Amino acid sequence: GQSKGFGFLQFYEPMVATSTMVGMNQAKNKKGGWKIMGRTVRLDQGKRNREEEEKEMQRRKKEKERKKKERMERAELDEEG
């Protein structure tokens, strides 16, 4: 079918998403931008629905708890060793 002219990217790290968006948009302003098939690429931050936002918050919370547990286990091993 005919292209709609847009696409979606998903980043798991917010800082990577932000730096990518800023870098590509700065390049657009300096050099005329990134182009695909002659069309300038523009990056914007999408909006999530409430359910997606809640899932992401839970994922980040679990990841933070996992890292904390790993640090505590390493500290215990260092004390024993």
Side-chain angles (χ1 to χ4, degrees), residues 4-71:
K4 300 265 190 234
F6 62 89
F8 296 93
L9 297 172
Q10 181 176 4
F11 293 87
Y12 290 97
E13 296 295 330
M15 290 183 69
V16 173
T18 300
S19 67
T20 300
M21 187 170 64
V22 168
M24 287 192 73
N25 287 336
Q26 283 177 346
K28 179 179 85 172
N29 294 334
K30 291 180 182 175
K31 300 183 250 179
W34 296 85
K35 294 188 185 273
I36 297 176
M37 297 177 69
R39 296 182 66 182
T40 302
V41 175
R42 184 188 81 217
L43 294 181
D44 291 318
Q45 189 170 7
K47 295 185 173 35
R48 293 184 180 175
N49 65 34
R50 185 175 218 112
E51 183 178 319
E52 290 173 333
E53 194 66 36
E54 182 62 32
K55 284 180 185 178
E56 180 64 16
M57 288 174 59
Q58 289 174 359
R59 184 194 69 78
R60 288 184 187 179
K61 183 179 178 181
K62 285 179 184 178
E63 181 67 15
K64 187 176 181 180
E65 289 170 356
R66 184 188 63 78
K67 287 181 179 181
K68 182 179 178 180
K69 183 179 177 182
E70 284 178 0
R71 282 193 307 270

